[in-house]
């Protein structure tokens, strides 16, 4: 196929170089955005009397049919075209001849591709936000279901203090709510139209960029045409937001993997989200969670590759920038896939509450509460802390726990101890008395659920 730019050349492009240069096999996914952008451009050209109304109407009507034909599979992408922009234009010209050739007036592929990616990512970001909302919803439902289920809270992966499962899982809800705000924020900055920046310097035609921007749902236009065609900040921003989101999913996955091990056995994943082993008949592996953890590295890779592509290129457009798409597309696909399987995995998992409770009974996780007991009786916290440390050491030596150490023994350590201490250090009390704002107590759980309900709508 003869290139659109063949006029200046004596020889055709080498076959290998042509394949190397071509991007249609990955940028064809932006066909809807490319066509919508072209329609807006054509109607602006006629509104500003740059092309005739009849030509513009014919271009738009034909583009509509091309879009339908692509949607229905009647029309296939011609991989001999360099990219999606060339393909749509050549298909248009095939169908309506010279009129089609008028579309590229006052436009360049440089602003065209910049507008296409923004439109594409705007839609995908919306889609990803709605997937995150579903996950937050699943988390809130689990938290409701297991509002009072007690489990050990950890620091350094050592049993630390008793918490409820609801409190633990809602921490992930909070992270995900921030992910949504990060994406919305990135979307805000991304939503400016570069269309009409042309190759880099603008154009001599009397175009109206605000008109196309409005038609395409942008909040305004990019004010510097060089920046308009060179800027891929929004890709880097989205990729960092995706990376942080994946980091959250990966941490959550890590806990799912730990909790479903025999060592913990806090949860049972549903059969439909686990796999078996080809050799060990007893195995039930948390592959989905592991893959999400693994794919996080891949999304980080996409971010680094985008930043690296951009770091050394001079203004304005350079072909290096064609490399933006595979990274961002890969990240979009990966994030969507991960959220798609993560949410039902959470929805269908079962909690083994007894095991969690038993784990919370071990490890002296009520030691802080015992110290607080003494503090409430007037002892300075540091002194109480030291006393309890000695009591814990004694219990370990005698193979006892704080609940089974007799009151007489407590009194030997300090006369402030009375038999009401046992109630104060019960796991239920430890949890229900943590009434501080944001703590594991029930009032805070309800507040968290209420806050997160804003992110499920
Ligand atoms: N396929 C190109 C890309 O993705 C479109 C822009 C081409 N512009 C150019 N001046 N060669 O970046």
């Amino acid at each position: 196929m003869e290139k659109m730019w063949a006029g200046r050349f004596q020889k055709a492009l080498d076959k290998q170089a042509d394949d190397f240069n071509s991007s249609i096999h990955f940028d064809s996914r932006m066909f809807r955005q490319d066509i919508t952008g072209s329609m807006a451009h054509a109607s602006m050209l006629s509104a500003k009397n740059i092309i005739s109304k009849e030509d513009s109407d014919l271009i738009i009507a034909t583009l509509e049919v091309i879009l339908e034909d692509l949607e229905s599979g009647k029309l296939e992408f011609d991989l001999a075209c360099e990219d999606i922009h060339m393909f749509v234009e050549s298909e248009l010209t095939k169908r309506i001849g010279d009129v089609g050739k008028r579309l590229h007036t006052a436009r360049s592929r440089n602003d065209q591709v910049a507008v296409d990616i923004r439109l594409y990512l705007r839609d995908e970001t919306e889609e990803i936000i709605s997937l995150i909302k579903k996950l937050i919803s699943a988390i809130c439902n689990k938290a409701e279901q297991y509002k009072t289920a007690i489990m050990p809270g950890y620091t350094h992966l050592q049993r630390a203090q008793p918490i409820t499962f609801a409190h633990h899982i809602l921490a992930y809800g909070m992270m995900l709510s921030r992910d949504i705000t990060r994406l919305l924020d990135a979307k805000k900055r991304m939503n400016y139209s570069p269309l009409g920046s042309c190759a880099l310097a603008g154009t001599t035609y009397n175009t109206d960029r605000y008109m196309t921007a409005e038609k395409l749902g942008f909040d305004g236009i990019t004010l510097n045409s060089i920046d308009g065609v060179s800027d891929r900040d929004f890709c880097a921003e989205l990729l960092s937001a995706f990376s942080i989101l994946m980091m959250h999913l990966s941490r959550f996955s890590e806990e799912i993997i730990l909790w479903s091990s025999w060592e913990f056995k806090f949860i049972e994943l549903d059969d439909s989200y686990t796999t078996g082993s080809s050799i060990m008949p007893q195995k039930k592996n948390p592959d989905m969670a592991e893959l999400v953890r693994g794919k996080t590295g891949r999304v980080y890779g996409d971010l680094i590759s985008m930043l690296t592509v951009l770091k050394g290129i001079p203004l304005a457009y350079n072909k290096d920038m064609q490399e933006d798409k595979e990274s961002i597309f890969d990240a979009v696909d990966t994030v969507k896939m991960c959220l798609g399987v993560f949410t039902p995995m959470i929805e269908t998992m079962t909690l083994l509450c007894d095991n969690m409770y038993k784990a919370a009974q071990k490890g002296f996780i009520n030691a802080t509460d015992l110290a607080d007991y003494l503090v409430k009786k007037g002892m300075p916290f540091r002194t109480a802390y030291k006393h309890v440390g000695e009591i814990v050491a004694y219990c370990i030596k005698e193979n006892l726990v704080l609940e089974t150490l007799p009151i007489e023994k407590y009194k030997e350590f300090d006369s402030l101890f009375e038999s009401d201490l046992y109630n104060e250090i019960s796991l239920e009390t430890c949890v229900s008395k943590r009434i501080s704002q944001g703590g594991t107590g029930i009032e805070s759980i309800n507040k968290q659920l209420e806050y997160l309900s804003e992110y499920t709508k």
Side-chain angles (χ1 to χ4, degrees), residues 182-217:
R182 246 185 297 277
L183 290 172
L184 287 173
D185 193 48
K187 210 183 109 193
K188 239 186 262 165
R189 265 183 300 282
M190 173 168 75
N191 204 25
Y192 287 85
S193 172
L195 190 58
S197 298
C198 303
L200 76 162
T203 177
T204 53
Y205 295 98
N206 179 28
T207 52
D208 186 349
R209 293 186 55 208
Y210 286 97
M211 194 184 282
T212 44
E214 204 192 315
K215 275 188 196 302
L216 295 170

Side-chain angles (χ1 to χ4, degrees), residues 23 27 82-83 85 109-110 113 317 319 321-322 325:
S23 57
D27 63 22
E82 197 175 307
D83 53 31
H85 328 293
R109 272 188 298 158
N110 297 352
V113 72
Y317 178 84
K319 192 72 172 199
M321 291 168 83
Q322 182 163 286
K325 279 172 279 308

Side-chain angles (χ1 to χ4, degrees), residues 274-285:
T274 44
T275 60
S277 152
S278 60
I279 171 169
M280 298 165 281
Q282 84 284 11
K283 290 297 285 292
K284 180 170 172 184
N285 298 327

Side-chain angles (χ1 to χ4, degrees), residues 269-275 284-285 288 341 344-345 348-349:
L269 289 174
D270 193 74
D271 280 3
S272 46
Y273 292 96
T274 44
T275 60
K284 180 170 172 184
N285 298 327
M288 307 309 133
V341 30
M345 179 181 75
T348 55
M349 77 181 184

Side-chain angles (χ1 to χ4, degrees), residues 265-322:
K265 266 290 164 241
F266 286 0
I267 57 163
E268 180 81 34
L269 289 174
D270 193 74
D271 280 3
S272 46
Y273 292 96
T274 44
T275 60
S277 152
S278 60
I279 171 169
M280 298 165 281
Q282 84 284 11
K283 290 297 285 292
K284 180 170 172 184
N285 298 327
D287 284 28
M288 307 309 133
E290 290 170 285
L291 265 178
V292 169
R293 192 176 56 184
K295 284 181 190 290
T296 301
R298 178 182 176 130
V299 174
Y300 291 0
D302 291 328
L303 169 64
I304 296 301
S305 104
M306 178 71 67
L307 290 170
T308 314
V309 163
L310 295 174
K311 78 181 261 295
I313 48 179
L315 297 175
Y317 178 84
N318 300 268
K319 192 72 172 199
D320 315 41
M321 291 168 83
Q322 182 163 286

